[in-house]
């Protein structure tokens, strides 16, 4: 928490964290990656049933169905969702996690109340995110469809992927980690535990100045193997580094398109809901080749 800290790096009042690394030049670089004009959703379909990995399914209620007799009728519906967890594709705000009473940039947890987050809320990303996305496909690197739960990914593994893919993660990049979680779930059903980053990988994220971290589950290997914390990558990334996290992204189609092109970088765009004081938001990230 101390040696990896970005607190004060962009000023005492900063609430964007590592998103500051996405400069105008970085956006121009990302835009130049669009060659084929092919866009891919990175959101998994909302899960509407209660499962072992989704105790809070989406509740979709129709409140008007158009009617049969009124020629000018319309349909409307209501969504109810608790999106944090291990099922719905969402982004975590920097007020989502605390360490010893503090959140990113040293702000007190007392600035988060029943009214919402006074600091570090998701509305700070209301301009959206537009940067180079890098798919780090650890299952592909190991020649398997998916990694088994509990498989830890270390900095040496990330560097081995860079060597195999011919890509180096750079400042301002969004790193999307594929473990094959959805492929395994489709084959074997919902399950406990997860493949993911070992806590030691947080220094690699800092050294590369990663602006945004996404994964197809929660980024962390589970169980973490670190006494006193179940999600050390979550805590280090959000609190110390100021890196927003995308959880439960779906990169199955993305990896097929990347393998076909032998291209692991692309334009990544996303925009959370503009909820003042929100701790995060459901999202539909888009990769464009």
């Amino acid at each position: 928490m101390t040696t990896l800290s970005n607190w004060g790096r962009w000023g005492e009042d900063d609430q964007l964290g590592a998103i500051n690394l996405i400069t105008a030049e970085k956006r121009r670089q990302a835009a130049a990656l669009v060659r084929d004009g092919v866009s891919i959703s990175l959101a998994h379909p909302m899960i509407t049933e209660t499962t072992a990995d989704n105790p809070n399914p989406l509740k979709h209620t129709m409140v008007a169905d158009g009617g049969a007799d009124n020629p000018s009728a319309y349909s409307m519906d209501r969504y109810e969702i608790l999106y944090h967890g291990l099922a719905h594709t969402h982004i975590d705000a920097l007020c989502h996690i605390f360490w010893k009473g503090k959140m990113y940039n040293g702000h007190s947890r007392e600035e988060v109340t029943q009214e919402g987050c006074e600091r570090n809320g998701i509305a700070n990303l209301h301009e959206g995110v537009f940067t180079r996305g890098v798919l780090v496909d650890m299952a592909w690197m190991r020649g398997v469809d998916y990694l088994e739960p509990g498989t830890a990914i270390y900095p040496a593994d990330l560097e081995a992927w860079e060597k195999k893919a011919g890509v180096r993660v750079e400042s301002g990049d969004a790193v999307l980690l594929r473990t094959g979680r959805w492929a395994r779930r489709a084959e074997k059903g919902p399950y406990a535990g997860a493949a993911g980053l070992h806590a030691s990988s947080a220094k690699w994220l800092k050294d590369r100045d990663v602006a945004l971290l996404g994964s197809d589950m929660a980024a962390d290997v589970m169980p973490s193997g670190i006494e006193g914390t179940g999600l050390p990558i979550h805590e280090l990334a959000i609190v110390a580094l100021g890196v927003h996290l995308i959880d439960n992204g779906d990169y199955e189609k993305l990896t097929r398109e990347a393998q076909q092109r032998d291209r692991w970088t692309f334009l990544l765009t996303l925009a959370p809901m503009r909820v003042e004081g929100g701790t995060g938001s459901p999202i539909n990230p888009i990769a464009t080749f």
Side-chain angles (χ1 to χ4, degrees):
M1 282 294 175
T2 301
T3 61
L4 302 185
S5 175
N6 277 328
W7 292 10
R9 180 175 176 182
W10 297 287
E12 294 181 359
D13 295 325
D14 176 60
Q15 299 181 62
L16 286 177
I19 294 295
N20 284 290
L21 297 165
I22 304 175
T23 62
E25 179 57 34
K26 190 69 186 183
R27 294 186 182 95
R28 287 191 290 269
Q29 176 199 34
L33 293 171
V34 179
R35 304 170 196 167
D36 303 335
V38 174
S39 291
I40 301 159
S41 169
L42 308 181
H44 191 76
M46 289 289 189
I47 300 175
T48 57
E49 68 274 6
T50 301
T51 61
D53 55 357
N54 184 29
N56 299 294
L58 170 74
K59 295 181 180 179
H60 180 202
T61 306
M62 295 299 295
V63 297
D65 61 8
D69 302 321
N70 188 341
S72 63
Y74 45 83
S75 61
M76 296 190 300
D77 51 7
R78 177 188 297 114
Y79 304 147
E80 181 181 341
I81 182 172
L82 197 167
Y83 57 86
H84 287 295
L86 301 177
H88 307 299
T89 306
H90 68 275
I91 187 168
D92 292 335
L94 299 183
C95 63
H96 177 49
I97 290 182
F98 313 98
W99 179 259
K100 294 185 177 180
K102 300 289 185 180
M103 54 182 159
Y104 168 71
N105 224 12
H107 300 304
S108 171
R109 69 177 302 167
E110 294 179 359
E111 295 182 81
V112 178
T113 69
Q114 290 297 310
E115 302 301 317
C117 303
E118 296 176 13
R119 297 267 190 166
N120 292 334
I122 198 61
N124 288 300
L125 297 190
H126 67 271
E127 303 289 358
V129 175
F130 186 107
T131 192
R132 185 175 86 147
V134 182
L135 176 62
V136 177
D137 191 340
M138 298 305 300
W140 167 80
M141 190 191 81
R142 298 186 183 185
V144 296
D145 292 333
Y146 47 79
L147 303 182
E148 290 295 340
T151 302
I153 298 166
Y154 295 88
D157 298 314
L158 299 169
E159 290 167 5
W161 174 87
E162 287 182 313
K163 184 176 181 180
K164 180 172 181 177
V167 175
R168 181 176 174 83
V169 173
E170 301 171 351
S171 177
D173 283 344
V175 169
L176 305 181
L177 176 69
R178 177 180 177 269
T179 68
R181 174 270 179 97
W182 294 112
R184 188 184 190 283
R185 190 181 191 273
E187 180 177 316
K188 299 186 176 182
Y191 57 92
L197 298 178
H198 184 265
S200 58
S201 295
K203 184 178 185 302
W204 185 88
L205 299 173
K206 166 78 170 183
D207 291 344
R208 298 304 176 85
D209 263 345
V210 169
L212 182 72
L213 174 63
S215 70
D216 52 9
M217 203 159 190
D220 285 88
V221 62
M222 294 187 282
S224 71
I226 306 298
E227 185 177 354
T229 176
L231 297 171
I233 289 292
H234 258 66
E235 294 167 353
L236 290 165
I238 292 176
V239 181
L241 296 174
V243 171
H244 293 75
L245 299 185
I246 300 171
D247 291 340
N248 311 313
D250 190 332
Y251 309 137
E252 296 307 299
K253 183 177 180 180
L254 176 63
T255 194
R256 293 193 296 270
E257 295 287 340
Q259 289 175 36
Q260 178 183 332
R261 292 171 171 79
D262 193 26
R263 287 179 55 195
W264 302 92
T265 62
F266 42 85
L267 169 63
L268 177 70
T269 54
L270 64 91
M273 298 170 63
R274 192 169 180 174
V275 179
E276 295 294 335
T279 67
S281 172
I283 54 167
N284 178 25
I286 302 295
T288 304
F289 285 99

